[in-house]
Amino acid sequence: DAGITQSPRHKVTETGTPVTLRCHQTENHRYMYWYRQDPGHGLRLIHYSYGVKDTDKGEVSDGYSVSRSKTEDFLLTLESATSSQTSVYFCAISESAGSTEKLFFGSGTQLSVL
Amino acid sequence: AQKITQTQPGMFVQEKEAVTLDCTYDTSDPSYGLFWYKQPSSGEMIFLIYQGSYDQQNATEGRYSLNFQKARKSANLVISASQLGDSAMYFCAMREGLSGGSYIPTFGRGTSLIVHP
């Protein structure tokens, strides 16, 4: 399995403060993703990256920015957190092996914006 | 329009019985992949099964099988011999875009499965 870690696991912050979540992988995968999970909505894509400095917007990108300065790290930043950004955030990477593909997920970050 | 539709918000099944979780998808990309994930109450996302759009046979992984009906654009998950530990949220997902250069997985809203003893 791919080595993927997210930090922090839990975060409580106040409205208006900046927040950065980190996703780290150990196996040099090209594609990395940030999703948010909310009840009734499943997982929705925020941003994704297809290489160093190559990123693009997903379905729910407003209020979020990302950076990927190294292959192994993909950062998600909430420039000014709002209560609507309270959610569980998952990082994921994609891996292909023969005819099978998989997405591997980090453990998730529970973010609460008060 | 949703790309992945899971019409069953909740399902119940008796232990040891089989259960089918529905998933339909919408894409015009000829090359795509379909996934199912399990999310137990602990919150982790667990990969279950994958089906490529060009695969002729239905994918199987132990007690899990994917009933792939390409013309109907459906990719239902079948769990045979349900166990109490199968109680979880199940998400269907589709990866589009290899032919276009990007690789973007989209998820459905999930189905909550409860297995009764």
Side-chain angles (χ1 to χ4, degrees), chain A residues 31 33 35 37 40 99 101 103, chain B residues 37 39 50 95 101 103 105:
Chain A
Y31 280 90
Y33 310 89
Y35 290 91
Q37 184 179 17
S99 59
E101 299 177 21
L103 287 173
Chain B
Y37 280 82
Q39 187 180 44
Y50 168 82
R95 180 274 297 158
Y103 185 103

Side-chain angles (χ1 to χ4, degrees), chain B:
Chain B
Q2 284 191 21
K3 292 192 174 186
I4 293 286
T5 302
Q6 295 181 253
T7 57
Q8 306 154 314
M11 289 282 287
F12 296 88
V13 66
Q14 203 74 25
E15 192 178 10
K16 299 181 185 177
E17 292 186 349
V19 62
T20 298
L21 306 184
D22 294 341
C23 174
T24 57
Y25 60 91
D26 182 25
T27 181
S28 57
D29 196 321
S31 175
Y32 55 92
L34 297 156
F35 306 81
W36 277 93
Y37 280 82
K38 172 185 179 181
Q39 187 180 44
S41 58
S42 58
E44 63 195 294
M45 293 290 289
I46 302 169
F47 168 82
L48 294 179
I49 200 165
Y50 168 82
Q51 176 92 35
S53 59
Y54 295 120
D55 295 339
Q56 299 289 336
Q57 291 189 323
N58 287 343
T60 59
E61 292 280 354
R63 294 186 299 111
Y64 305 106
S65 60
L66 197 153
N67 185 0
F68 182 44
Q69 298 188 33
K70 197 169 184 176
R72 294 185 177 184
K73 294 189 174 180
S74 84
N76 298 341
L77 177 71
V78 180
I79 305 174
S80 63
S82 297
Q83 301 172 356
L84 296 179
D86 293 334
S87 294
M89 281 292 290
Y90 288 81
F91 292 98
C92 179
M94 175 176 64
R95 180 274 297 158
E96 292 178 289
L98 267 185
S99 58
S102 293
Y103 185 103
I104 304 172
T106 305
F107 284 78
R109 296 188 177 189
T111 295
S112 173
L113 176 66
I114 296 176
V115 180
H116 288 301

Side-chain angles (χ1 to χ4, degrees), chain A residues 72-102:
Chain A
E72 58 265 36
D73 289 326
F74 190 33
L75 304 181
L76 176 70
T77 297
L78 291 66
E79 300 289 349
S80 177
T82 67
S83 58
S84 65
Q85 293 176 312
T86 292
S87 186
V88 178
Y89 291 85
F90 284 99
C91 175
I93 58 174
S94 63
E95 179 180 280
S96 296
S99 59
T100 296
E101 299 177 21
K102 292 183 182 180

Side-chain angles (χ1 to χ4, degrees), chain A residues 16-99:
Chain A
T17 60
V19 177
T20 295
L21 309 182
R22 179 179 183 242
C23 179
H24 179 79
Q25 60 147 327
T26 59
E27 298 194 10
N28 206 33
H29 292 289
R30 179 184 175 196
Y31 280 90
M32 299 183 76
Y33 310 89
W34 278 107
Y35 290 91
R36 61 176 288 175
Q37 184 179 17
D38 305 287
H41 290 277
L43 280 79
R44 292 180 292 174
L45 183 66
I46 305 172
H47 282 277
Y48 68 100
S49 170
Y50 47 96
V52 174
K53 294 188 177 5
D54 293 323
T55 65
D56 207 345
K57 296 179 180 180
E59 176 189 1
V60 290
S61 59
D62 287 349
Y64 302 94
S65 63
V66 290
S67 66
R68 194 170 178 195
S69 57
K70 299 185 290 184
T71 299
E72 58 265 36
D73 289 326
F74 190 33
L75 304 181
L76 176 70
T77 297
L78 291 66
E79 300 289 349
S80 177
T82 67
S83 58
S84 65
Q85 293 176 312
T86 292
S87 186
V88 178
Y89 291 85
F90 284 99
C91 175
I93 58 174
S94 63
E95 179 180 280
S96 296
S99 59

